Amino acid sequence: MESQMKSNESKMLQSQMPEGLELEITHHPLTMKSVVNLVIAMERLKGNRSESLLSTEFRDENLLSMMMDTIVEEQIVFERYSAPPVQKYMRMSMQEYSVSDSEKRSLIRVPDSMELNAVMLQGGSECRKVNLNLSTYVHLESSINAQTVALGIRGTNFFLSCHKDGEEPTLHLEAVEDKEQLSSISSDSELVRFLFNKHITGINLCTLVSVPYSDWYISTAVEENKPVEMCLESAQRNTIFTLLALKKTPTCEGEM
């Protein structure tokens, strides 16, 4: 019964086809692309039936040309991402500074630890104060509003660094045995963790922002005698520091 119905359907469709064309019904599975192409071709055949399809000049090549015009081609788009260019930071000079936060608190190193705290020093305790050696770097994309620096603790081989120790960037105090390895730093090297951008906000005032994590600032807590840490600008912490130059060293070739 089913085959007879299909035969009748085939005869009915064949009677509607233009002269010179034959209709073949296949039961092979078709892809969606093939179905789309077939529908488009049939629509074009209907639209042009009164013209070329009824002409005695209509040939197989005409039908092939019409079918090729309706082919839906798949296009694969590849997204290409280019890595940011590698920057080379070259150390040019060094300057010693005293540093205090916006609450006039000095930085001290906690005994037997690798941690800095912000403390309001009393008379006679100035010897506990930490001064910083700021090594200045230049690179191709230097900004007039920011200066790239490395922050060393005067009289030691300790440097401040910022890298992830978990989910968020954190501030560290690291010992650098060979300081010359910081004379030239590539942006794609691990040593970039020692670099900070110094943004001037006023006379002797600045913020210190991590180079690899440009939204994270060196900061102090509102409370007394708390660790110096990294934070986002929106955090309720002090991010502005007063840096006062103490003396200059001629070049960075000597002791830092």
Side-chain angles (χ1 to χ4, degrees):
M1 177 66 71
E2 182 180 355
S3 62
Q4 184 177 357
M5 292 179 62
K6 290 180 179 178
S7 177
N8 293 337
E9 181 181 358
S10 177
K11 291 178 180 180
M12 182 180 65
L13 292 175
Q14 181 66 46
S15 65
Q16 299 177 6
M17 293 295 293
E19 183 180 354
L21 294 182
E22 293 184 0
L23 176 67
E24 180 182 350
I25 298 179
T26 177
H27 299 287
H28 295 295
L30 299 175
T31 64
M32 181 58 70
K33 177 180 176 180
S34 300
V35 173
V36 171
N37 290 336
L38 180 59
V39 171
I40 295 176
M42 293 303 296
E43 290 298 322
R44 290 200 174 188
L45 287 172
K46 291 179 183 179
N48 297 330
R49 181 177 299 173
S50 60
E51 300 174 7
S52 61
L53 294 185
L54 297 181
S55 171
T56 57
E57 298 298 325
F58 184 78
R59 298 182 301 234
D60 291 343
E61 297 94 299
N62 300 114
L63 179 60
L64 178 61
S65 178
M66 293 176 61
M67 294 293 290
M68 292 300 294
D69 288 341
T70 62
I71 291 177
V72 179
E73 296 184 355
E74 295 180 0
Q75 294 185 355
I76 301 176
V77 179
F78 295 94
E79 294 187 7
R80 183 174 297 176
Y81 298 94
S82 59
V86 176
Q87 291 291 324
K88 182 74 72 172
Y89 297 88
M90 305 297 297
R91 190 175 65 198
M92 299 301 294
S93 62
M94 185 185 67
Q95 179 81 43
E96 182 183 351
Y97 289 86
S98 68
V99 55
S100 58
D101 67 5
S102 55
E103 300 295 328
K104 308 300 182 185
R105 294 177 299 192
S106 301
L107 304 186
I108 65 167
R109 183 183 168 205
V110 178
D112 301 321
S113 76
M114 300 293 280
E115 185 178 279
L116 296 178
N117 281 11
V119 175
M120 185 68 72
L121 293 176
Q122 304 298 325
S125 57
E126 287 292 318
C127 60
R128 300 179 59 197
K129 182 177 181 178
V130 166
N131 289 336
L132 296 179
N133 285 336
L134 268 68
S135 300
T136 303
Y137 291 76
V138 295
H139 59 98
L140 293 179
E141 294 185 359
S142 59
S143 170
I144 59 174
N145 296 321
Q147 189 177 63
T148 303
V149 298
L151 307 172
I153 305 300
R154 181 183 179 276
T156 73
N157 62 345
F158 296 132
F159 286 79
L160 292 176
S161 69
C162 177
H163 59 86
K164 281 190 175 181
D165 187 11
E167 293 296 324
E168 297 181 344
T170 51
L171 188 67
H172 302 265
L173 197 59
E174 296 187 44
V176 178
E177 298 302 331
D178 182 11
K179 297 178 183 179
E180 281 306 306
Q181 66 179 315
L182 301 182
S183 61
S184 175
I185 300 177
S186 296
S187 58
D188 59 347
S189 75
E190 293 184 356
L191 294 177
V192 76
R193 69 184 185 273
F194 291 105
L195 297 181
F196 297 85
N197 280 327
K198 174 186 171 187
H199 293 269
I200 303 299
T201 60
I203 299 177
N204 297 325
L205 300 177
C206 69
T207 59
L208 297 166
V209 184
S210 168
V211 167
Y213 305 103
S214 57
D215 293 329
W216 291 81
Y217 293 69
I218 296 180
S219 65
T220 61
V222 176
E223 299 81 11
E224 175 76 7
N225 201 18
K226 294 293 183 180
V228 180
E229 298 176 349
M230 302 301 298
C231 77
L232 293 170
E233 188 175 16
S234 58
Q236 299 300 313
R237 294 176 61 87
N238 304 307
T239 59
I240 297 178
F241 293 89
T242 299
L243 295 180
L244 296 176
L246 298 180
K247 65 178 182 179
K248 295 182 179 180
T249 54
T251 67
C252 57
E253 299 300 327
E255 182 183 0
M256 295 180 63

